[in-house]
Amino acid sequence: MAVSAIWFRLFKQSDLQTGPDLIANLFMILFFTWITIRLIHTIMISSRVTPNVIYGSISGYLLIGFTGAAWAATIEYIVPNSFVFPEQSIPTFQGFIYYSYITLSTLGYGDVLPVTGPAQSLSIFLSTVGQMYLTILVAFLVGKYINDNTLPPSK
């Protein structure tokens, strides 16, 4: 259900103010949150840093971005005009994906503005999670890699 909602939303160019859009957003939030938690857990319990662990950590960051987009679209549905987009009167899901990744990376061009309390709270959360994810996970993976390569080989 969540995957079909995602594909539908990515190619839909109309407004986000319908009941099915809210339901799709909620399914996406649940799906992406569950997958992201499972993925990060798998990375943390891995015994070695392999290419699959690296790919999983990249996927986790991308999933956090999609979750942020679904949250932003949900906030916009519940509290209309929470985000101001440049030269665009009707926000699209692609616009929320853009906002989410720009905020997650703390790049913040300033062209999409969160103007209500819930939207601003989401911005703070995304920027904090983005930085924490990168610093903590990279430190964890580097530490695990160094530990694996400095131990004497087992007999």
Side-chain angles (χ1 to χ4, degrees):
M1 174 71 176
V3 174
S4 62
I6 294 163
W7 282 108
F8 175 72
R9 295 296 301 283
L10 286 177
F11 298 109
K12 182 180 176 191
Q13 293 294 325
S14 62
D15 65 352
L16 299 172
Q17 299 298 323
T18 64
D21 288 330
L22 178 63
I23 294 169
N25 288 344
L26 295 175
F27 274 115
M28 284 192 293
I29 290 168
L30 291 173
F31 176 73
F32 285 140
T33 302
W34 182 75
I35 293 294
T36 305
I37 290 169
R38 296 285 302 161
L39 187 60
I40 293 171
H41 179 260
T42 301
I43 291 167
M44 294 300 197
I45 65 169
S46 66
S47 59
R48 299 186 52 118
V49 178
T50 64
N52 285 339
V53 171
I54 300 296
Y55 300 146
S57 64
I58 293 168
S59 297
Y61 189 78
L62 296 175
L63 286 168
I64 292 170
F66 270 102
T67 307
W71 272 111
T74 302
I75 289 171
E76 181 68 24
Y77 178 83
I78 295 170
V79 184
N81 301 318
S82 288
F83 297 90
V84 175
F85 287 85
E87 301 177 21
Q88 184 178 341
S89 60
I90 300 173
T92 61
F93 196 70
Q94 294 93 335
F96 288 119
I97 290 173
Y98 167 78
Y99 156 78
S100 180
Y101 283 109
I102 292 300
T103 306
L104 189 64
S105 67
T106 66
L107 184 59
Y109 287 127
D111 53 348
V112 178
L113 302 173
V115 293
T116 63
Q120 291 169 346
S121 296
L122 178 65
S123 297
I124 292 167
F125 179 76
L126 282 176
S127 62
T128 304
V129 166
Q131 292 304 301
M132 289 175 59
Y133 183 86
L134 291 175
T135 55
I136 293 170
L137 189 69
V138 168
F140 180 79
L141 292 176
V142 167
K144 188 178 280 195
Y145 180 80
I146 290 172
N147 189 34
D148 288 344
N149 290 324
T150 57
L151 293 175
S154 59
K155 296 181 181 182

